[in-house]
Amino acid sequence: MSGNSSLDPYTEQAQNNDVTTQEKIAGLKEIIKSTETAMLTSRSSDGSFHSRAMSPVHPHSETDLTLTFFANSVSHKFEEIEHDSHVNVSFLNPTTTSWASFSGRATVTQDPAEIKKYWSTATSAWFGDLKDGIHKGDSNDPRVALIQVVPDEIRYWYATKGKVGRAIEIGVGAMTGKTSTPGELRTITSNEIKLTQGLHTK
């Protein structure tokens, strides 16, 4: 790099550090609600990364940044989380191109009170009734567990222009050499996350 010129003008121009914490959380929640399905990535003992699609349950507060997922406790991802609790959770809306990335730590709980708090009848479809009187696919099924991801940092891209606007800006950029930034990169920092966690601590 020579002088003060940036070799990554896209990131430099798109990064918006003037958004309030409340505005950043509102933008993030908009992306999550529009996508519903997330990719949860964990790491195995040999260093390999594995991702799978999962649907987070809706939090009881619009400011809660912890992600909660129902999962089968006998699945391989639990071994990976036990080995290394560091995980990534990502969301993508292909229509708007908005995306979000959570870097954090996963914990596992089978607390009956927590499970019942988030349980819905639709959840049972992911477990099934094995007809053995124990594994009935209900909230008391011993296979049912919650994976909760507490983020250390959240980065997301918030599209500020629609499909036509994005296409025009990209086209102009391609012809003129101007960097195209039809959206904003926003970061919810560790300190901001800790403040929101404080609001939800009993």
Side-chain angles (χ1 to χ4, degrees), residues 169-191:
E169 178 153 338
I170 292 171
V172 170
M175 290 187 296
T176 64
K178 180 182 177 182
T179 303
S180 172
T181 52
E184 298 178 352
L185 280 172
R186 300 175 180 177
T187 302
I188 302 179
T189 66
S190 175
N191 286 337

Side-chain angles (χ1 to χ4, degrees), residues 66-87:
T66 297
L67 297 173
T68 302
F69 304 91
F70 275 105
N72 191 321
S73 63
V74 303
S75 61
H76 185 57
K77 54 184 164 287
F78 284 84
E79 296 177 18
E80 296 184 337
I81 290 172
E82 183 178 358
H83 164 71
D84 186 348
S85 64
H86 292 89
V87 297

Side-chain angles (χ1 to χ4, degrees), residues 108-125:
V108 174
T109 180
Q110 290 186 295
D111 181 344
E114 281 291 294
I115 289 173
K116 285 182 170 62
K117 182 168 69 172
Y118 294 107
W119 186 263
S120 69
T121 54
T123 307
S124 62

Side-chain angles (χ1 to χ4, degrees), residues 2-193:
S2 60
N4 295 319
S5 63
S6 173
L7 295 179
D8 187 6
Y10 170 82
T11 299
E12 185 177 287
Q13 293 179 31
Q15 186 69 48
N16 187 347
N17 298 318
D18 297 323
V19 186
T20 67
T21 301
Q22 184 176 0
E23 289 172 330
K24 285 191 282 189
I25 292 175
L28 174 68
K29 294 289 184 175
E30 184 180 326
I31 295 171
I32 293 174
K33 289 178 181 178
S34 72
T35 55
E36 294 294 333
T37 302
M39 295 299 292
L40 170 64
T41 303
S42 54
R43 185 169 60 178
S44 65
S45 57
D46 66 2
S48 301
F49 291 97
H50 299 111
S51 299
R52 72 285 294 171
M54 300 184 71
S55 297
V57 298
H58 292 293
H60 293 279
S61 168
E62 284 298 307
T63 57
D64 189 0
L65 297 177
T66 297
L67 297 173
T68 302
F69 304 91
F70 275 105
N72 191 321
S73 63
V74 303
S75 61
H76 185 57
K77 54 184 164 287
F78 284 84
E79 296 177 18
E80 296 184 337
I81 290 172
E82 183 178 358
H83 164 71
D84 186 348
S85 64
H86 292 89
V87 297
N88 180 269
V89 181
S90 58
F91 297 83
L92 170 66
N93 184 325
T95 302
T96 64
T97 70
S98 294
W99 56 262
S101 174
F102 287 65
S103 296
R105 291 177 178 266
T107 59
V108 174
T109 180
Q110 290 186 295
D111 181 344
E114 281 291 294
I115 289 173
K116 285 182 170 62
K117 182 168 69 172
Y118 294 107
W119 186 263
S120 69
T121 54
T123 307
S124 62
W126 297 104
F127 294 90
D129 186 350
L130 302 187
K131 308 299 183 181
D132 60 2
I134 299 175
H135 303 94
K136 298 185 289 185
D138 59 12
S139 61
N140 297 312
D141 191 313
R143 296 172 296 167
V144 175
L146 291 174
I147 296 174
Q148 295 181 313
V149 178
V150 178
D152 296 319
E153 182 184 79
I154 303 168
R155 289 175 59 82
Y156 71 93
W157 164 264
Y158 186 82
T160 55
K161 294 186 179 181
K163 184 176 181 179
V164 174
R166 292 195 304 272
I168 291 174
E169 178 153 338
I170 292 171
V172 170
M175 290 187 296
T176 64
K178 180 182 177 182
T179 303
S180 172
T181 52
E184 298 178 352
L185 280 172
R186 300 175 180 177
T187 302
I188 302 179
T189 66
S190 175
N191 286 337
E192 290 173 317
I193 291 168

